Amino acid sequence: MAQPLERRSQNLSSVTTAAAVLKEFGKGDTQLGVSQLARRVGVTKSTAHRVVRTLASEGLLEKVDETGLFRLTTTMRNLGISAETAQSLHRASTLALEDLRSATEHTHLAILDGTDVLYVERRESPSALQLFGRVGGRNSVHVTSTGKVLVAHLEPEEQRRIVESIRLTRRTAHTITSRRALVAELAKVRRLGYGENRFESVVGMISIAAPVRDRTGRVVASVSIAGQAERATDNTISALLPSLLETAGRISRNLGWLRSGHLT
């Protein structure tokens, strides 16, 4: 049964107010209080409080303990850049990924979306087994080399928030299920400049990933290569690493990053 016109108007008004509240965080202030939002949006404080509380319950806003103000959550901030980032990455990575595909079975490019990696590009050799999902698929950061790279290069506060909120679900006997172990792994990834996944997501599959940077040097994506292996040895990783790092650097340069040398 259709809602009465008055009820539908009320619902639309609430959506409009919520949208107006979210837009205020894109005007230069990263943290705002309920009173500020009420004044800027032009609603009563009680209305602003109700809208903010609803947005927080939906994971779009979060309260900052130190200030008592609200800010956009990581997921909400990522929504704003994901589409634009994916388009830029497609243009910057297409030829590089095609060249890298000849060296391995599976090649992926991923961005961070909350506690998941979101795969925005994928290449596979014709003989590769179809073990990975399609473009647009997701996986948890703690079981992927791409995820480790992306989280390892976050600012400390944001990294801590993700590590504390992620569900460390066990996929195989090699999966990291301890937060302390994950933090140590992330520090190792940042130190080495690349991440590894040794049978942590799928038994018999290994992968390594390297960071992709934009023109400011910020890590915006991670490129990975994966393949089947009976044993994940250091020699296996060493053989794949040069091609991976070269590809990550090539994509980064296509995005405007001018620094030369090893990706750290």
Side-chain angles (χ1 to χ4, degrees):
M1 181 181 297
Q3 291 181 330
L5 180 59
E6 181 180 357
R7 179 64 179 276
R8 280 184 287 167
S9 298
Q10 290 175 350
N11 288 346
L12 290 174
S13 177
S14 297
V15 172
T16 300
T17 302
V21 166
L22 292 174
K23 288 178 182 178
E24 287 301 318
F25 291 91
K27 297 179 179 180
D29 293 308
T30 59
Q31 297 185 23
L32 292 167
V34 173
S35 297
Q36 290 173 291
L37 289 166
R39 184 169 60 254
R40 293 186 180 193
V41 175
V43 297
T44 65
K45 186 175 179 180
S46 61
T47 297
H49 184 271
R50 184 170 63 252
V51 171
V52 167
R53 183 177 59 190
T54 300
L55 292 171
S57 69
E58 293 298 324
L60 303 180
L61 292 179
E62 61 185 2
K63 191 171 186 178
V64 182
D65 293 335
E66 292 80 2
T67 63
L69 303 177
F70 289 86
R71 65 185 174 194
L72 297 177
T73 61
T74 301
T75 298
M76 191 60 190
R77 292 194 299 272
N78 285 341
L79 284 174
I81 64 171
S82 291
E84 182 180 354
T85 299
Q87 291 178 356
S88 298
L89 287 170
H90 175 73
R91 291 191 297 268
S93 67
T94 296
L95 293 179
L97 292 178
E98 290 292 344
D99 291 342
L100 182 61
R101 176 171 58 176
S102 62
T104 187
E105 295 177 0
H106 305 275
T107 302
H108 297 94
L109 192 70
I111 61 176
L112 186 64
D113 187 10
T115 59
D116 291 339
V117 289
L118 175 64
Y119 295 104
V120 295
E121 296 287 337
R122 169 189 171 194
R123 304 288 190 278
E124 292 183 338
S125 68
S127 60
L129 294 176
Q130 301 298 307
L131 296 176
F132 293 94
R134 57 179 173 78
V135 169
R138 299 171 181 269
N139 208 344
S140 181
V141 297
H142 75 294
V143 298
T144 58
S145 57
T146 50
K148 293 176 186 177
V149 166
L150 291 166
V151 177
H153 288 85
L154 292 174
E155 293 298 320
E157 180 184 353
E158 195 156 347
Q159 182 184 117
R160 175 181 57 80
R161 186 161 57 247
I162 287 182
V163 169
E164 290 179 353
S165 63
I166 189 174
R167 296 182 62 183
L168 298 177
T169 304
R170 183 182 295 278
R171 300 282 185 82
T172 75
H174 300 273
T175 301
I176 295 175
T177 56
S178 160
R179 299 193 196 283
R180 178 177 296 182
L182 180 57
V183 169
E185 178 76 0
L186 294 175
K188 175 184 175 183
V189 169
R190 184 143 188 164
R191 184 177 70 254
L192 294 177
Y194 65 92
E196 303 175 3
N197 164 14
R198 302 189 183 211
F199 307 148
E200 296 165 51
S201 179
V202 178
V203 175
M205 294 296 297
I206 65 171
S207 70
I208 55 175
V212 171
R213 301 175 185 272
D214 65 10
R215 60 183 179 82
T216 69
R218 183 172 63 97
V219 174
V220 294
S222 180
V223 59
S224 67
I225 52 181
Q228 294 179 290
E230 294 183 3
R231 294 184 301 120
T233 67
D234 290 337
N235 288 337
T236 303
I237 301 299
S238 297
L240 297 172
L241 190 56
S243 295
L244 174 70
L245 293 176
E246 193 281 328
T247 300
R250 182 178 170 186
I251 298 172
S252 298
R253 290 189 294 274
N254 288 343
L255 290 173
W257 189 60
L258 301 178
R259 181 181 173 184
S260 60
H262 193 275
L263 290 174
T264 59

